Amino acid sequence: MKLLVTGGCGFIGSNFIRYVLKVHPDWEIVNLDKLTYAGNLKNLKDVEGNPRYRFVKGDIADRNLVHALFAEEKFTAVVNFAAESHVDRSILDPAPFIETNVKGTQVLLEAARAHGVEKFLQISTDEVYGSLDPDDPPFSEESPLRPNSPYAASKASADLLCRAYYKAYGVPVAITRSSNNYGPYQFPEKLIPLMIRNALQGMPLPVYGRGENIRDWLYVEDNCKAIDLVLQRGRAGEIYNIGGGCEKKNLEVVQMICNILEELNPPALHRPLHSLITFIRDPRGAAHDLRYALDCRKIKEELGWEPKVSFEEGLRRTVEWYLDNGDWVESVITGEYLEYYQKVYG
């Protein structure tokens, strides 16, 4: 297997590359990444010397670069992680989300079609389904697409392009839609690493509204295992939901982080951490979906996958990783991040 992984320097992509190199000793990986603010070569520093791994800096929307790379490498399969992926940023400026998530996906699909790849795996999100009320059943793969933010709309658009390329041209596309991932190497704009970093610095822990929004949490390594199974045995033209089966209110997650940090008691920890929780105006408005939940029976029945890491265990592992890797956290935070933080959280 010669695998093109796009966006491999991001959070899920870097964890997937590390996982594949460990479990598939005969696979080769080319990582194509634009290295935006959320992509960092330090995420894969431990594998950069691996002879089965190669990094290429580039934009998936660059048609000439992408087709030249496909012609040179003759990929067996593509896994497309590359995406702008933060709802708040999409509300501030939707344009980069259309450029990367829609146009970039089309460029990759066309290259896969022209060069005859055996499998194209599109990494999507549960946000394409829209929002659930508290008593609604979880989304299945047959649920309609009702995105409520520019980010979710751009991912839904990419998913529909994948379907069209399968139907119109026979490109062997499969789609995975996962719930909220968490774990090592996640950029600190997302909820869990943001709260860990702020807590360690004695800064406010900003929670939108009253923290009532509900998310289904999935440890990133469990997602990598599921993606690997879909890549190898998933059926072309199909969609596979990947969820953790663990619904938590945002406020509950923040409180759990506070409890773990107080138990681990790192130096100079502000106490009590719960006093730092600050409820702020929700900038997402109607775009802030109340609840996500996924029905994952399809991937369990067809491929035998189910999550192995409980939220309690995974969250503790994640907190411990950020405590042990403070230098990485501070190295990825730039002036652009601080400017964004000020816009969103004040």
Side-chain angles (χ1 to χ4, degrees), residues 78-91:
V78 176
V79 183
N80 181 29
F81 290 97
E84 297 285 346
S85 65
H86 198 273
V87 172
D88 295 346
R89 288 180 182 267
S90 79
I91 292 172

Side-chain angles (χ1 to χ4, degrees), residues 16 19 24 27 119 121 176 222-235 240 242 299-300 302-306:
F16 179 74
Y19 174 80
H24 296 296
W27 287 21
K119 177 66 78 66
L121 186 52
T176 64
D222 278 333
N223 192 21
C224 292
K225 292 176 180 178
I227 292 168
D228 183 27
L229 283 172
V230 175
L231 180 62
Q232 294 186 80
R233 305 198 337 250
R235 291 180 291 141
Y240 295 89
I242 306 172
I299 191 171
K300 291 178 181 179
E302 286 194 17
L303 305 181
W305 175 88
E306 59 183 356

